[in-house]
Amino acid sequence: MSSYPALDRLRIGCVQYLNARPLIDRYPGPVSFEHPSTLARDIAACQLDAALVPVFEALRSNDYLLVDGAAIAGDGPVYSVFLAYQGALGGIRTVSLDPASLTSVHLLQVLLAEFHGLRPRFVPDQEPATLADARLLIGNQAIAFREQAPAGTQFLDLSAEWKRCTNLPFVFALWLLRADLAEPSSVAKEFRVLKCEGLSHLDDIVASEHLHSATFARKYLTEYIRFNFGDREKAGLQLFRTLLHKYDFISEDQTPLRFV
């Protein structure tokens, strides 16, 4: 019998990045691994019951329950979410956006507008690179880019910049549950247990990592990424929600976020 009976009855989706592995690695059941934007679409369409999804999806709809105590977050540099550019930050006029995560896309726009007074033009990543003088990258693609970046490339780590400007952590992704799930508290509890199990087996996760070296994987999961979701993370999430509304990225909603 599975150790996660509440999860076994769900359709679960998860991002396919190294930073998510401690939150899902110890689950023995089926999981749909997809890009963040695909997971957001599928849970909105009721094709998933629970998904580890970028927080923008939760903040723009508030149709979900949010699992307390587990997240993908940063409290300083995260290494894998950044704006790459040449020259001065203030000279950026056009930014190429990675469409995989609307959370990172909107975080970049909020940071540039609120704390730097910059409102560059944003273009899809599919357009020719010559159309942009800066590029937003996230996840495994971002990690790979760092290893072969052209000389003189500068990196604005979005989590580090958020921490510098707000003194708060930034939450990138949370487990979202459909609001009509039966016994959501049991589901949330098992996701928290799953996180603890994953963190207690980091050696196994690092040893089985194929895309990155064991040395990098350990450093990334222990020094860059945070998996807690407590009061400071919630304060950062609420501030992000406020700034998203300020810049008309989401409609105003005074409904409290629902944690389980």
Side-chain angles (χ1 to χ4, degrees):
M1 179 178 294
S2 170
S3 300
Y4 303 97
L7 300 186
D8 290 342
R9 57 183 172 83
L10 304 183
R11 297 167 297 174
I12 298 174
C14 185
V15 291
Q16 50 187 355
Y17 298 144
L18 172 60
N19 57 20
R21 288 197 58 190
L23 299 182
I24 196 64
D25 190 75
R26 305 304 293 178
Y27 181 61
V31 177
S32 176
F33 288 98
E34 292 288 353
H35 289 292
S37 56
T38 301
L39 295 173
R41 180 200 66 198
D42 288 350
I43 194 169
C46 298
Q47 296 175 1
L48 293 171
D49 301 308
L52 188 67
V53 172
V55 296
F56 184 74
E57 182 65 21
L59 297 178
R60 70 173 171 180
S61 67
N62 203 21
D63 290 336
Y64 307 102
L65 303 176
L66 282 59
V67 173
D68 209 344
I72 295 175
D75 196 11
V78 293
Y79 192 85
S80 58
V81 182
F82 57 77
L83 181 70
Y85 63 99
Q86 300 273 343
L89 184 67
I92 293 173
R93 297 292 178 265
T94 309
V95 177
S96 172
L97 295 177
D98 185 330
S101 171
L102 291 177
T103 293
S104 299
V105 166
H106 288 94
L107 173 59
L108 173 62
Q109 293 180 78
V110 163
L111 286 171
L112 292 181
E114 180 72 7
F115 303 109
H116 296 276
L118 299 177
R119 301 295 291 267
R121 186 168 68 94
F122 296 93
V123 299
D125 191 47
Q126 293 89 341
E127 294 190 19
T130 54
L131 295 181
D133 48 25
R135 186 180 180 192
L136 172 66
L137 291 158
I138 71 168
N140 295 336
Q141 182 184 12
I143 295 171
F145 179 86
R146 278 188 180 269
E147 298 174 355
Q148 55 188 9
T153 300
Q154 300 193 67
F155 300 95
L156 183 71
D157 185 298
L158 300 196
S159 177
E161 187 66 2
W162 175 266
K163 175 68 179 292
R164 185 185 73 82
C165 295
T166 69
N167 200 33
L168 290 169
F170 187 82
V171 178
F172 286 95
L174 293 170
W175 284 112
L176 304 190
L177 310 180
R178 286 177 49 194
D180 60 352
L181 283 187
E183 300 182 358
S185 60
S186 296
V187 171
K189 180 179 179 180
E190 290 188 6
F191 274 125
R192 288 189 286 271
V193 172
L194 193 62
K195 180 197 80 169
C196 293
E197 284 290 302
L199 292 176
S200 69
H201 287 82
L202 273 182
D203 288 346
D204 295 335
I205 292 174
V206 167
S208 64
E209 175 59 30
H210 300 298
L211 291 178
H212 311 285
S213 71
T215 299
F216 172 79
R218 182 178 300 280
K219 181 179 179 68
Y220 182 66
L221 294 176
T222 59
E223 297 183 22
Y224 291 120
I225 302 301
R226 302 290 184 266
F227 300 98
N228 189 41
F229 184 47
D231 290 342
R232 293 185 66 247
E233 287 77 18
K234 290 175 185 174
L237 184 64
Q238 185 58 56
L239 177 57
F240 186 46
R241 188 188 197 193
T242 299
L243 292 174
L244 286 173
H245 172 250
K246 176 179 179 178
Y247 291 100
D248 296 320
F249 293 129
I250 61 173
S251 59
E252 185 173 17
D253 188 351
Q254 299 300 322
T255 306
L257 299 172
R258 296 175 292 172
F259 304 105
V260 290

